[in-house]
Amino acid sequence: SLSLGQGQDQIAIQSFNEAKERGSWVVMQNCHLCPSFMPTLERLVNEIEDNGSEFRLWLTSMPSNLFPVSILQNGVKVTNEPPKGLKSNMLRSYLGIDEEEFESCTKPSTYKKLLFSLCFFNALILERRKYGPLGWNIPYEFSNSDLKISQSQLLMYLNTYDQIPWDALNYMGAEANYGGRVTEGKDRILINTLLLDFYNPKVLNDSYKFSDSGVYYCPPESPLSTYIEYIQNELPINDLTEIFGLHDNADITSAINETKTLLGNVLSLMPRMTSGAGKSQEEELQDRANDILKKMPPPFDILDVNRKHPIKKEESMNTVLQQELLRFNKLTSQVKSTLKNLIKAIKGEVVMSQDLEKLGYQVSDNIVPTLWVKVSYPSMKPLGSYVSDLIKRLEFMQKWVDEGAPP
């Protein structure tokens, strides 16, 4: 068994060859940390012959675009799905706790209370991601290592100091361990505020509740098995939005996001090849692209607009007009250039890049392409309705240019 990383290429090849010769097993962990070795690994795997040998190769990896597809296609895959919901997250955290360590603190009651609070905080910040921007402005990838480090620090601080260093615990948790992943300013304020609800002197009281309804609380000092039973039997299966500090309607946002993700994945797995006498998928894609291009009007002449509607103090809306026209010119230019390049790529005149391939899939699936969204106004419409809406907006702006500002 070895962990891949920088400088491990030759060691990995040697271990592979030795295990192959002896007919034994070899485990290569963290393949995602050694992307330069992946082409070599793919070659080694493709050279394996099925001759009845007991040789087995085990690979572990986080999701990575650089992991060889051929190995995934030919191998047996086992995935470790992250738990869903506060209850499942808490259960996973407590099932991973060593009972000897759980009972090793010199302040057992305090440690067990704060450890439960820490695990609950960990589950809370993970589950906030399902609410999209309502939960976090950026969906951070908090890992189990953040919890383990915070757990070790909690045990160390309690064993070392007579008085509980609340400020140090909050700083290390919200600013260093978990906060090291948080980059957005308001999210940093949020994670500090959230941790204060779980790392404070009131948590040590049995009467303290994590939510107004009293559904979520820390049980009294007990053996590890009792905490696991409480999580399995007492915590609600469906999370209450009150524990996140959100309105009940936030569940609607969560359900919409989950449905979009599910249907998007189903749509991406649908076959994209057509058979029979009908048009091929490439021909249909070209027709759609040409149809959208035909609808796109020429760009607005900003110099001509500036002469007709000069920017001056008496006509403040002229400033708005010119700014909007610049934005629409940028959007229509992006639409035209990407669609033209897509058509050329289908014909083989230019290289079909990853962005163009994704654009083609999204146009086929009636989804507004990501390349357009980056320079577009906000819209929740599918592609067909989006294009119709864009044309109406452009016609409105042209009418403004020709006839003056709307009443």
Side-chain angles (χ1 to χ4, degrees), residues 171-400:
Y171 179 84
M172 293 304 296
E175 292 289 346
N177 302 336
Y178 290 96
R181 302 178 186 273
V182 180
T183 55
E184 206 275 333
K186 288 185 171 57
D187 285 345
R188 294 188 70 86
I189 296 173
L190 173 61
I191 195 170
N192 276 277
T193 305
L194 289 174
L195 187 55
L196 284 172
D197 288 336
F198 299 94
Y199 268 176
N200 67 77
K202 296 179 181 177
V203 175
L204 304 180
N205 299 325
D206 290 340
S207 60
Y208 183 77
K209 310 294 183 184
F210 293 135
S211 63
D212 294 336
S213 66
V215 173
Y216 298 100
Y217 62 90
C218 178
E221 180 190 356
S222 308
L224 179 60
S225 58
T226 304
Y227 285 93
I228 294 176
E229 289 176 6
Y230 164 76
I231 294 169
Q232 291 175 327
N233 301 326
E234 299 296 331
L235 289 183
I237 297 176
N238 297 317
D239 302 335
L240 305 181
T241 52
E242 64 171 14
I243 191 62
F244 300 100
L246 301 173
H247 191 271
D248 289 343
N249 287 345
D251 276 335
I252 299 175
T253 301
S254 172
I256 290 173
N257 291 340
E258 188 174 349
T259 303
K260 281 184 176 179
T261 302
L262 174 62
L263 295 180
N265 291 335
V266 171
L267 191 60
S268 67
L269 295 173
M270 291 180 63
R272 301 182 184 277
M273 301 298 294
T274 57
S275 58
K279 292 183 179 179
S280 68
Q281 197 263 345
E282 288 79 8
E283 291 173 335
E284 290 183 357
L285 186 55
Q286 284 190 67
D287 290 345
R288 287 192 182 188
N290 284 319
D291 183 57
I292 296 174
L293 284 173
K294 290 177 184 177
K295 295 178 181 179
M296 289 292 113
F300 295 103
D301 188 340
I302 302 299
L303 293 178
D304 183 57
V305 172
N306 195 25
R307 286 192 294 268
K308 290 183 179 179
H309 306 279
I311 297 176
K312 51 186 179 180
K313 190 179 296 185
E314 296 80 11
E315 294 290 342
S316 60
M317 290 298 289
N318 290 349
T319 304
V320 178
L321 172 63
Q322 295 195 28
Q323 289 177 344
E324 289 301 310
L325 294 183
L326 288 170
R327 293 190 181 97
F328 277 114
N329 276 353
K330 185 176 181 180
L331 173 57
T332 54
S333 173
Q334 179 80 331
V335 171
K336 292 176 183 176
S337 63
T338 52
L339 289 178
K340 288 177 181 177
N341 287 333
L342 176 63
I343 293 173
K344 290 179 180 178
I346 294 173
K347 293 179 179 178
E349 298 175 3
V350 298
V351 176
M352 177 67 81
S353 66
Q354 188 174 355
D355 287 338
L356 288 178
E357 185 178 13
K358 184 178 180 181
L359 172 72
Y361 288 153
Q362 290 175 327
V363 171
S364 297
D365 295 338
N366 199 31
I367 299 172
V368 180
T370 307
L371 292 173
W372 302 0
V373 173
K374 293 178 180 178
V375 294
S376 174
Y377 52 87
S379 177
M380 302 286 289
K381 298 177 182 293
L383 180 59
S385 301
Y386 174 86
V387 172
S388 300
D389 179 65
L390 174 59
I391 299 302
K392 290 180 181 178
R393 289 172 184 253
L394 295 174
E395 290 173 349
F396 172 81
M397 300 307 295
Q398 186 62 55
K399 185 177 180 181
W400 187 346

Side-chain angles (χ1 to χ4, degrees), residues 47-95:
E47 292 174 355
I48 297 176
E49 297 180 359
D50 186 8
N51 54 8
S53 171
E54 293 295 325
F55 168 68
R56 296 291 185 272
L57 173 64
W58 294 78
L59 304 171
T60 70
S61 175
M62 295 290 285
S64 172
N65 294 330
L66 299 175
F67 194 87
V69 176
S70 63
I71 297 179
L72 290 174
Q73 291 174 337
N74 297 324
V76 177
K77 296 167 283 293
V78 178
T79 60
N80 181 19
E81 291 290 337
K84 183 179 178 181
L86 290 174
K87 184 173 184 174
S88 298
N89 270 288
M90 287 289 292
L91 187 59
R92 184 184 70 165
S93 298
Y94 264 80
L95 290 176

